[in-house]
Amino acid sequence: MRVGIELEVAAAMDAKVLERFPAGAPRGSWPAEEYAAARRAEGEPATVVMDLKSDAFLVVVPTRNED
């Protein structure tokens, strides 16, 4: 089911899902934000979005159209 949700989110946002993190991280811990910040430091335009259906944070990047 998880792959289907990732594909649904990716299609709706025209984005690629890099990683997913459960929403239940310990208080004060932001693993999705930390992962996205590391990708941004490498030059990727990573963003964190919440997938309410799976109760997870997804780190996504826009897909590049090769037209």
Side-chain angles (χ1 to χ4, degrees):
M1 177 67 120
R2 185 172 83 178
V3 171
I5 289 171
E6 286 179 7
L7 291 174
E8 186 177 312
V9 169
M13 295 185 62
D14 197 23
K16 175 183 174 187
V17 177
L18 296 180
E19 192 63 64
R20 61 184 295 108
F21 296 88
R27 177 166 278 199
S29 174
W30 301 91
E33 291 291 346
E34 292 166 1
Y35 184 85
R39 300 299 69 78
R40 287 191 297 269
E42 295 173 352
E44 293 241 37
T47 304
V48 177
V49 296
M50 178 69 184
D51 178 18
L52 295 174
K53 285 185 179 180
S54 66
D55 195 31
F57 292 104
L58 307 178
V59 178
V60 299
V61 293
T63 55
R64 294 185 178 108
N65 292 332
E66 312 260 339
D67 295 332

